[in-house]
Amino acid sequence: MRILAVLLLASLAGCAGARPSVERYTYRIGTQDGGLCSATAIAKDVLLTAKHCVGEADTVVYIGGKRYGISHIETDARDHALLWVDQRFPEWAQRGATPKKGDALSFFGNVDNFDQLYRYGHMAGWYGGAMVLDMTCGRGDSGAGVFNESGQLVSVVSAVYAGPIVHFCIAYPLAFSPKQWARV
């Protein structure tokens, strides 16, 4: 009986570590114009967010209500923005491969007045060059990193599709080249 209990506890401990928590990489950011978005730490001083969350001339971002300077912004054509900030992050996300239809995904976003709201769902399909995520999302989730089951960053929430019956998150696969990503 004692061996069975030990095996059960060991298997539960293994399951607990099977899905890494990605909340520690996600931040609620306030923008220079008073907007609300989410962002993901991807290096010791770099945040990844949605391009529409910041202006290329922005010089500050608010993380947890505290003001930080932005030293550089780099954007791409897919609504992604890299922000070099004067904040040091203790941990940052690792990049994963573009998900396939049916893959399980999750993110923590900061919709309206809800901080770090967890969402879980699946990659439902493609809409042009964007991924359709079978998850709920809303204003303030833009810029949140989308993670695979291994805890790797695979996308960024960009928009909400609100049809007559359903609501989906729209996200673009990470488009920065390996060379750009390596500079981060």
Side-chain angles (χ1 to χ4, degrees), residues 15 17 40 79 95 110 118-119 145 180:
C15 289
T40 303
D79 198 31
R95 184 176 179 166
N110 296 288
Y118 176 73
R119 263 62 61 78
Q180 288 172 303

Side-chain angles (χ1 to χ4, degrees), residues 42-93:
I42 62 164
K44 67 181 178 192
D45 60 351
V46 181
L47 287 173
L48 172 64
T49 190
K51 179 179 173 179
H52 73 263
C53 289
V54 293
E56 290 190 36
D58 282 0
T59 59
V60 298
V61 66
Y62 297 87
I63 303 170
K66 189 172 177 188
R67 184 178 195 256
Y68 293 95
I70 300 173
S71 61
H72 178 67
I73 299 175
E74 194 169 317
T75 62
D76 68 9
R78 291 185 162 178
D79 198 31
H80 299 135
L82 297 173
L83 311 177
W84 277 260
V85 297
D86 61 2
Q87 157 75 349
R88 297 290 183 247
F89 302 105
E91 297 181 88
W92 47 87

Side-chain angles (χ1 to χ4, degrees), residues 99-105 121-126 131-135:
K100 295 175 185 68
K101 192 184 292 188
D103 285 354
L105 302 171
H122 296 86
M123 205 286 247
W126 292 93
M131 295 185 298
V132 177
L133 308 181
D134 188 8
M135 301 180 198

